[in-house]
Amino acid sequence: MSTGVRRRMGVEERRQQLIGVALELFSQRSPDDVSIDEIASAAGISRPLVYHYFPGKLSLYEAALRRASDDLAARFAEPHEGPLGARLLRVMHRFFDFVDEHGPGFSALMRGGPAVPADGVRSRDHVSTTNALIDSVRQAAYDQILAHLRVTEAPPRLELVVRSWISLVESTALIWLDGRRIPRAELELQLVHDFAALASVSAAYDEEMAALIGPVLKEEPADGPFGDLVGRLVALAS
């Protein structure tokens, strides 16, 4: 029979618990609307004890953002096997899983964090920290895409294509969260098509890009995402 005695957590274990609780709450509502009292209640501890582990809501928020950004960056990891289109589609599915599960938190992350920190002052250090976390996610995505293309150092046009596509994915996800008016699966496929379209247009203007993208497109099966795009374009033009 249980004695009802709670196990005492170590310092790091308690910190990780609070980060997890805060991230869950920030995923449900805007971080500006979540109070320290709510976080303490959800963690089963007192408000003063929260401050024992974190100086304030802002530091806890940044710790939660750091965990979320690590999770989001990991969504772009994918084995380098099989057609590129299918790989990108799996990446988009995992990315939108995160967006779907952490809507308000994702919006806050991409838009630079809470509008008004607990002390009423949006510090430069906070902005710098948040921007660094966002940039780390973008860089992880960029590095993963280059690896899928078997490129170690991107020529200028390829860098433009990949970074433009990553920005498009971000903005599309943020717009989609505002009402979810387009079926998620359609957007995931459309974004994969967008990558193929951006890369193909760039390749049409540049021989170096053509040499990089041409072999990748030739490996794509007719029934894959890139083949689907070709079919849709042919139907549109007919």
Side-chain angles (χ1 to χ4, degrees):
M1 184 175 68
S2 173
T3 62
V5 177
R6 292 184 180 178
R7 180 177 64 85
R8 185 181 180 87
M9 290 187 182
V11 173
E12 186 56 28
E13 185 180 8
R14 177 66 78 184
R15 281 178 55 85
Q16 293 305 316
Q17 182 218 17
L18 286 171
I19 291 171
V21 167
L23 184 57
E24 179 66 23
L25 291 172
F26 295 152
S27 296
Q28 297 166 6
R29 306 202 315 278
S30 169
D32 292 309
D33 297 331
V34 178
S35 68
I36 286 291
D37 287 330
E38 287 181 86
I39 295 169
S41 177
I45 62 176
S46 67
R47 175 189 175 96
L49 196 53
V50 175
Y51 286 110
H52 175 73
Y53 294 100
F54 293 94
K57 176 180 166 181
L58 187 57
S59 62
L60 179 53
Y61 175 78
E62 288 179 349
L65 271 191
R66 191 168 288 106
R67 181 183 290 185
S69 65
D70 289 344
D71 182 4
L72 185 54
R75 304 290 174 119
F76 285 89
E78 172 72 21
H80 299 168
E81 301 169 359
L84 178 62
R87 286 183 247 163
L88 289 181
L89 190 57
R90 289 192 292 270
V91 167
M92 286 297 93
H93 182 71
R94 289 196 300 273
F95 176 82
F96 272 88
D97 275 347
F98 181 95
V99 173
D100 215 356
E101 294 163 9
H102 303 281
F106 174 81
S107 295
L109 173 64
M110 291 304 164
R111 289 174 172 142
V116 182
D119 59 4
V121 179
R122 188 178 174 85
S123 71
R124 290 183 180 179
D125 286 346
H126 165 65
V127 173
S128 177
T129 297
T130 304
N131 288 343
L133 290 172
I134 296 169
D135 287 343
S136 71
V137 174
R138 291 170 178 154
Q139 189 61 41
Y142 176 78
D143 292 340
Q144 285 289 340
I145 299 304
L146 291 192
H148 283 294
L149 293 170
R150 301 190 279 278
V151 173
T152 53
E153 187 165 344
R157 286 182 185 268
L158 180 59
E159 180 177 5
L160 180 62
V161 164
V162 176
R163 294 200 185 277
S164 296
W165 181 71
I166 291 169
S167 296
L168 177 61
V169 170
E170 288 178 16
S171 58
T172 298
L174 288 170
I175 293 169
W176 177 77
L177 279 172
D178 185 18
R180 293 173 166 84
R181 291 166 292 178
I182 300 175
R184 188 185 126 176
E186 289 183 14
L187 276 187
E188 292 170 4
L189 180 59
Q190 181 180 317
L191 284 166
V192 174
H193 287 172
D194 287 335
F195 180 84
L198 286 169
S200 297
V201 169
S202 183
Y205 281 86
D206 183 76
E207 291 183 1
E208 188 175 23
M209 276 292 291
L212 285 171
I213 299 301
V216 173
L217 295 180
K218 288 178 183 177
E219 295 175 359
E220 292 294 314
D223 60 350
F226 288 178
D228 178 65
L229 172 60
V230 172
R232 290 172 184 268
L233 291 175
V234 170
L236 182 64
S238 63

